[in-house]
Amino acid sequence: MIALGVTPSCFVPPPCLPLRCGRFQLLCAPAAQAGTPRDRMRLHLACADHLLTLLPFAPALETGSDMALSWGIARSDGIEAALLRLAGARQLSLDLRAAPDRPGQAAAGGADWLKRRAAAMRQRTAALEALRRGVEDACAGIALRDRRAHPRQDGLRLHLLFDRAAVPAALEALRQGLRPLPGCTLTVTGPWPPYDFAGLGEIA
Amino acid sequence: MPEADISLRFATAEDALASPETTLVELVDGLLAQGVVIRGDLWLTVADVDLVFLRLDLLLTNPEALRPDPLHPASPGRPRLS
């Protein structure tokens, strides 16, 4: 059996099974159905439809149920705190990208090329910042529980945590509130289980 | 429509997981490594291709416990329980 996460609920959809682990349930699935990281992520999504609260294990990890049970019993206080913190939470994950820094073909020498490249980088940074502000403005009326931003070479990855019930309103607010910016792309995905917010605040 | 022309789009988690499109694959791969990490074997994958294998063994201890004990220099790194 592969452990997929922890939940307070005893009722989980098949093929998943609950294993009692102290004051909560360890969500498990047969290895045949949870053999790859994407299989485990699919099972997380199926369970997230049925369960209000889910503390997901990283899908990239194949964690045996025996190891997870020992871990869960030894860290029941930390897990319980995480379950309370993430009760009913879902995340939206946004990929913000700006056009690559291209100083242009018509540069008159090296210094001019560097100058143009610096200007292109400033423009790109400003565009990403405007896009990020646009996202936050669009969600201003929705109760945002938490956020995480991960800068990337070509943009920014933004994770927003909402109540499950607030996700449709958040998606609609983003649809209505965001305006395309020239040279920028924004991809909104979700709702996901709260992968980016599931740390226990310690080395687990 | 070419991918570069799409400036704003939405995808459900299920659609993102099933999509072969580069941005969505990268986004999903980024999420695969997130979540609670216990201990075990970690495969880093991109687009379902296994690239790196890591065996994680974490030692939980006070850093002080890993320093040589000045009273017992012959036993460097001996964990102290007090």
Side-chain angles (χ1 to χ4, degrees):
Chain A
M1 294 285 276
I2 304 295
L4 300 173
V6 179
T7 177
S9 173
C10 324
F11 302 103
V12 301
C16 297
L17 301 165
L19 288 183
R20 187 163 182 76
C21 179
R23 296 185 291 273
F24 35 80
Q25 306 290 326
L26 190 66
L27 184 66
C28 297
Q33 271 100 34
T36 71
R38 282 169 182 258
D39 287 343
R40 294 189 275 280
M41 190 175 254
R42 279 188 201 96
L43 290 169
H44 280 156
L45 292 178
C47 289
D49 283 345
H50 291 78
L51 302 171
L52 182 65
T53 303
L54 171 63
L55 183 66
F57 291 163
L61 288 175
E62 184 174 313
T63 308
S65 54
D66 290 346
M67 180 193 283
L69 273 174
S70 322
W71 169 86
I73 290 165
R75 288 172 178 77
S76 56
D77 289 345
I79 294 169
E80 199 160 28
L83 285 171
L84 279 173
R85 183 169 49 83
L86 295 175
R90 296 292 183 271
Q91 81 175 46
L92 294 179
S93 293
L94 289 74
D95 184 272
L96 293 70
R97 294 186 192 210
D101 309 324
R102 289 205 183 95
Q105 303 294 327
D112 187 41
W113 187 87
L114 288 171
K115 198 172 157 187
R116 285 168 183 246
R117 189 181 69 165
M121 284 174 68
R122 279 196 300 274
Q123 201 173 3
R124 184 170 182 234
T125 305
L128 279 174
E129 179 57 22
L131 199 54
R132 190 188 61 77
R133 274 201 311 272
V135 168
E136 296 193 351
D137 289 348
C139 293
I142 316 289
L144 181 62
R145 285 171 60 166
D146 203 352
R147 82 190 70 182
R148 297 275 157 83
H150 303 294
R152 294 161 48 85
Q153 193 177 10
D154 54 351
L156 182 71
R157 193 69 52 78
L158 194 60
H159 304 285
L160 306 175
L161 191 72
F162 294 99
D163 281 332
R164 184 167 81 160
V167 166
L171 286 170
E172 189 55 30
L174 288 169
R175 272 198 186 91
Q176 299 296 325
L178 287 175
R179 295 288 170 266
L181 283 173
C184 291
T185 60
L186 172 61
T187 306
V188 182
T189 65
W192 299 96
Y195 288 118
D196 273 79
F197 304 88
L200 298 189
E202 59 173 323
I203 299 173
Chain B
M1 181 183 289
E3 192 177 311
D5 290 344
I6 301 170
S7 56
L8 176 60
R9 66 177 160 180
F10 292 77
T12 64
E14 289 79 6
D15 289 345
L17 193 52
S19 172
E21 196 272 302
T22 310
T23 303
L24 294 175
V25 169
E26 285 180 8
L27 208 149
V28 169
D29 282 339
L31 292 175
L32 287 175
Q34 303 300 318
V36 175
V37 174
I38 300 179
R39 174 179 178 248
D41 300 339
L42 173 64
W43 288 89
L44 298 181
T45 67
V46 173
D48 261 356
V49 177
D50 295 329
L51 292 180
V52 178
F53 170 73
L54 300 171
R55 172 152 287 157
L56 304 174
D57 286 304
L58 303 180
L59 173 62
L60 300 180
T61 184
N62 183 331
E64 288 297 319
L66 291 175
R67 293 186 182 146
D69 185 340
L71 298 177
H72 300 88
S75 57
R78 183 174 61 86
R80 288 169 290 180
L81 300 178
S82 58

